Amino acid sequence: MQLNTLKPAIGSKHAKRRVGRGIGSGLGKTAGRGHKGQKSRSGGFHKVGFEGGQMPMYRRLPKRGFTSLGQHLYAQVRLSDLQALPVDDIDLQALKQAGVVGQAVRYVKVIKSGELSRKVALKGLTATVGAKAAIEAAGGSLV
């Protein structure tokens, strides 16, 4: 094999479609653009969503809803989730490793849902008033 004998695999290369090059090419005369109209002209284009001058759909429909950019940064954890964890010192990293919260979460709040019967120490987490009372009643603490 020599460099000057290398060729691409058969069928991997094909000739570029040449429009507007005569009737024999199959794409002569109107060059596949059809007859008349804005899209047949050179330079004839319109922006995405343009509906020929009528009020476009995105302006006819009412605006609704709102998506917060920080919705994935916050998470809530139940007391029952803390009860199921095998560790006693619980922080954000421990919750992520256990799969209780997602990897993108930055802020966690413990809510009073379920039961907590063992002593846990929460570090760097916030809790509702009821959850805080339940944690301290079980002998735990919030730092």
Side-chain angles (χ1 to χ4, degrees):
M1 180 188 334
Q2 303 293 323
L3 284 177
N4 64 335
T5 62
L6 290 177
K7 289 184 179 179
I10 296 172
S12 66
K13 303 287 264 183
H14 58 275
K16 183 182 170 191
R17 179 174 290 150
R18 299 181 71 215
V19 297
R21 291 295 181 272
I23 197 167
S25 69
L27 285 169
K29 194 185 170 207
T30 56
R33 288 172 173 258
H35 293 278
K36 298 188 182 176
Q38 185 179 21
K39 295 201 300 191
S40 73
R41 319 282 190 210
S42 66
F45 76 98
H46 53 78
K47 66 181 180 181
V48 175
F50 183 69
E51 298 180 21
Q54 77 175 10
M55 188 61 68
M57 182 69 80
Y58 68 89
R59 290 187 61 195
R60 275 181 276 164
L61 298 176
K63 293 185 282 189
R64 282 184 52 84
F66 171 74
T67 303
S68 173
L69 293 175
Q71 64 185 351
H72 302 295
L73 300 179
Y74 299 90
Q76 293 179 344
V77 176
R78 301 174 177 167
L79 289 175
S80 55
D81 294 333
L82 299 181
Q83 178 73 26
L85 287 176
V87 294
D88 292 332
D89 292 332
I90 299 172
D91 60 354
L92 183 58
Q93 194 61 35
L95 293 172
K96 286 182 180 181
Q97 287 175 350
V100 177
V101 298
Q103 293 297 321
V105 171
R106 288 192 192 168
Y107 309 103
V108 172
K109 189 165 203 172
V110 180
I111 60 173
K112 186 183 178 189
S113 176
E115 297 293 323
L116 182 66
S117 59
R118 66 188 187 90
K119 181 179 174 180
V120 292
L122 301 182
K123 293 188 174 108
L125 307 179
T126 57
T128 62
V129 174
K132 185 175 180 180
I135 291 167
E136 289 173 349
S141 64
L142 276 98
V143 180

